[in-house]
C-alpha cells in the first residue's frame, strides 16, 4: 500500500514539474521581461551599443579620439580604408576608385624613376581618382530655392535670421534638405581646412611639414581673417599650391620628399570630403548657440548619417 502511494506521489510531482517547465518556456516566447529596447524594434536590423564619454568633435578636421572615430568612420568616406580581415594591415580603396599613383620629382620638378634614391626626391605627387556618382547625405545646406533652366538655385537657408532660427534646434527642424554628388574639389577643400585659423587642428603640425605650401597657407588664411574678422572665410578664394583639382573626379597632393606613410593618412577622416556649402551654412549667426555645427551635426558621404544627437541619452546613426 505504501509503495503504491509513493508511486502516485512521484507521478504527481512529475506532472507538476512538467507543467511548471512548460509555463516557464511559454513565458520565454514573449521575450525578455527586462528587455531595455522598444518592442517595436524587435526583429529589425538595429545594432545597439554604449559609449562612456560623448564625442567632443564630429568635425573630421578636429577629431582625434577613438570614441569620435567610431562615429566618423560611418559618416565620412576618405579615399582609402584598411582591409577588414587581412593582417598585416593593408590599404584598399574606399572612396577612391583605385589606390593613388605616385610620381617623384627632383628640386626642379623634373620627373624621377620610381627607383630613384630618397635623397634625390624633392617632391612626391599623389594622384587620386574618386568613384563617380557618390552623394552626400541629406542636409539642409544643400536645399535650394526655385531652380532655373540650368538646374541651379540659391541656397534656401543661406541667409537665415534670428527669427528664422527661433524654432530650430536640430537639422530635422528644417523643412527641406537636399544632396549633391561628391567631387574632387570637396576633398581639396577639406585639406585646406587643415590650416583653418579658427579650428583646433591636431594634424596640422605634422601635415604642414609634408604637404607643400600648407604652412604658408595657414598664414595666408590668418591674414585674411585679421583683415575681415566677421566675414566668412571662403577657402575657395585662396589656392593651396600643393593641392590641385585636376578634374571633377581627380585631384593631386604634393608632399615634400619621399614619404610613403602619407598613403596611410589618406585612410583617416582628416582627408574625407567636405562640401563648402556645409561650412558656409554653419557659419551663420545664431547657429553655434543652437549646437548647429559640424562638431554636432556632421555631413558626409559615408553609409550612415547622424539623425539624432543627444549624447546624454542616445545617438542614432
Amino acid at each position: 500500500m505504501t509503495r503504491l502511494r509513493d508511486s502516485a506521489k512521484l507521478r504527481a510531482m512529475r506532472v507538476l514539474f512538467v507543467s511548471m517547465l512548460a509555463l516557464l518556456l511559454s513565458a520565454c516566447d514573449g521575450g525578455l521581461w527586462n528587455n531595455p529596447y522598444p518592442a517595436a524594434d524587435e526583429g529589425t536590423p538595429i545594432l545597439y551599443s554604449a559609449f562612456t564619454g560623448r564625442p567632443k568633435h564630429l568635425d573630421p578636421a578636429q577629431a582625434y579620439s577613438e570614441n569620435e572615430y567610431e562615429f566618423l568612420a560611418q559618416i565620412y568616406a576618405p579615399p582609402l580604408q584598411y582591409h577588414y580581415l587581412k593582417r598585416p594591415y593593408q590599404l584598399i580603396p574606399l572612396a577612391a576608385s583605385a589606390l593613388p599613383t605616385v610620381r617623384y620629382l627632383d628640386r626642379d620638378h623634373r620627373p624621377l624613376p620610381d627607383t630613384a634614391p630618397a635623397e634625390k626626391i624633392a617632391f612626391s605627387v599623389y594622384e587620386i581618382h574618386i568613384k563617380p556618382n557618390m552623394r552626400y547625405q541629406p542636409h539642409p545646406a544643400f536645399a535650394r530655392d526655385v531652380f532655373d533652366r540650368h538646374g541651379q538655385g540659391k541656397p534656401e537657408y543661406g541667409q537665415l535670421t534670428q527669427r528664422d532660427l527661433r524654432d530650430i534646434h536640430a537639422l530635422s527642424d528644417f523643412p527641406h534638405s537636399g544632396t549633391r554628388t561628391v567631387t574632387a574639389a570637396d576633398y581639396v577643400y577639406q585639406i585646406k581646412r587643415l590650416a583653418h585659423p579658427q579650428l583646433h587642428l591636431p594634424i596640422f603640425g605634422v601635415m604642414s611639414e609634408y604637404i607643400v605650401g600648407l604652412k604658408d597657407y595657414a598664414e595666408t588664411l590668418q591674414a585674411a581673417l585679421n583683415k575681415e574678422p566677421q566675414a566668412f572665410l571662403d577657402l575657395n578664394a585662396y589656392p593651396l599650391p600643393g593641392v590641385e583639382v585636376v578634374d571633377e573626379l581627380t585631384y593631386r597632393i604634393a608632399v615634400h620628399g619621399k614619404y610613403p606613410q602619407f598613403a596611410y593618412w589618406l585612410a583617416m577622416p582628416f582627408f574625407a570630403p567636405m562640401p563648402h556649402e556645409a561650412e558656409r551654412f554653419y557659419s551663420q549667426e545664431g547657429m553655434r548657440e543652437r549646437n548647429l555645427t559640424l562638431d554636432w551635426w556632421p555631413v558626409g558621404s559615408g553609409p550612415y548619417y547622424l539623425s539624432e544627437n543627444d549624447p546624454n541619452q542616445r545617438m542614432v546613426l
Side-chain angles (χ1 to χ4, degrees):
M1 189 70 176
T2 304
R3 186 175 299 172
L4 292 174
R5 288 177 179 173
D6 291 344
S7 298
K9 288 181 179 180
L10 185 59
R11 286 196 298 272
M13 291 178 64
R14 287 175 177 171
V15 171
L16 179 62
F17 174 76
V18 172
S19 300
M20 292 180 65
L21 181 61
L23 181 63
L24 290 172
L25 290 176
S26 65
C28 292
D29 292 340
L32 297 174
W33 66 270
N34 63 341
N35 186 354
Y37 305 119
D41 291 347
E42 186 175 353
T44 56
I46 297 176
L47 173 65
Y48 295 95
S49 185
F51 54 93
T52 55
R54 76 170 184 86
K56 184 178 180 181
H57 295 292
L58 292 177
D59 179 343
Q62 302 190 82
Y64 206 71
S65 300
E66 181 181 358
N67 66 329
E68 297 164 349
Y69 275 35
E70 289 178 359
F71 293 92
L72 296 183
Q74 313 303 323
I75 297 170
Y76 288 98
L80 305 180
Q81 64 181 331
Y82 291 99
H83 192 287
Y84 189 69
L85 298 176
K86 288 187 178 181
R87 300 295 184 272
Y89 293 107
Q90 180 177 326
L91 287 172
I92 59 174
L94 179 56
S97 59
L99 291 176
T101 59
V102 186
R103 293 185 297 112
Y104 300 119
L105 307 175
D106 64 14
R107 292 182 179 180
D108 297 320
H109 295 272
R110 293 175 300 191
L112 293 171
D114 294 344
T115 56
E119 61 270 16
K120 290 190 176 182
I121 297 174
F123 307 99
S124 300
V125 180
Y126 289 78
E127 184 166 292
I128 303 162
H129 301 269
I130 63 171
K131 296 175 182 176
N133 302 319
M134 294 186 296
R135 299 187 72 82
Y136 284 107
Q137 299 141 4
H139 195 280
F142 300 123
R144 294 290 184 268
D145 57 15
V146 179
F147 288 85
D148 60 23
R149 60 189 180 88
H150 301 291
Q152 302 295 322
K154 294 182 179 180
E156 183 174 357
Y157 304 118
Q159 294 181 328
L160 296 172
T161 65
Q162 291 293 336
R163 184 173 181 177
D164 296 330
L165 293 172
R166 183 175 50 192
D167 298 321
I168 301 295
H169 305 285
L171 292 186
S172 57
D173 293 330
F174 288 95
H176 303 129
S177 64
T179 183
R180 69 165 174 82
T181 56
V182 180
T183 67
D186 300 327
Y187 284 87
V188 170
Y189 191 86
Q190 170 63 9
I191 296 172
K192 290 180 175 182
R193 294 184 73 240
L194 300 182
H196 201 299
Q198 293 177 315
L199 301 177
H200 173 68
L201 303 154
I203 196 180
F204 173 75
V206 176
M207 287 297 100
S208 64
E209 297 296 326
Y210 288 101
I211 296 179
V212 174
L214 190 63
K215 187 177 295 186
D216 292 338
Y217 189 69
E219 296 177 1
T220 298
L221 295 182
Q222 184 63 66
L225 189 64
N226 292 341
K227 187 176 180 180
E228 296 185 81
Q230 304 302 321
F232 172 69
L233 185 58
D234 185 3
L235 305 187
N236 288 322
Y238 303 93
L240 173 57
V243 185
E244 173 191 4
V245 176
V246 180
D247 56 41
E248 188 175 358
L249 298 177
T250 310
Y251 65 105
R252 297 188 185 118
I253 307 172
V255 301
H256 292 288
K258 185 174 184 179
Y259 183 49
Q261 296 90 336
F262 183 74
Y264 294 91
W265 286 106
L266 297 177
M268 302 187 73
F270 295 121
F271 291 90
M274 178 58 63
H276 66 90
E277 296 96 328
E279 193 163 59
R280 184 179 289 274
F281 171 81
Y282 286 126
S283 70
Q284 297 178 86
E285 186 178 357
M287 288 287 195
R288 182 168 296 276
E289 291 77 8
R290 291 168 172 80
N291 274 336
L292 295 172
T293 66
L294 277 170
D295 264 343
W296 201 267
W297 297 107
V299 52
S301 57
Y304 293 91
Y305 72 94
L306 190 65
S307 62
E308 293 184 38
N309 188 6
D310 183 358
N312 294 321
Q313 184 174 1
R314 72 173 188 169
M315 300 174 70
V316 179
L317 287 170

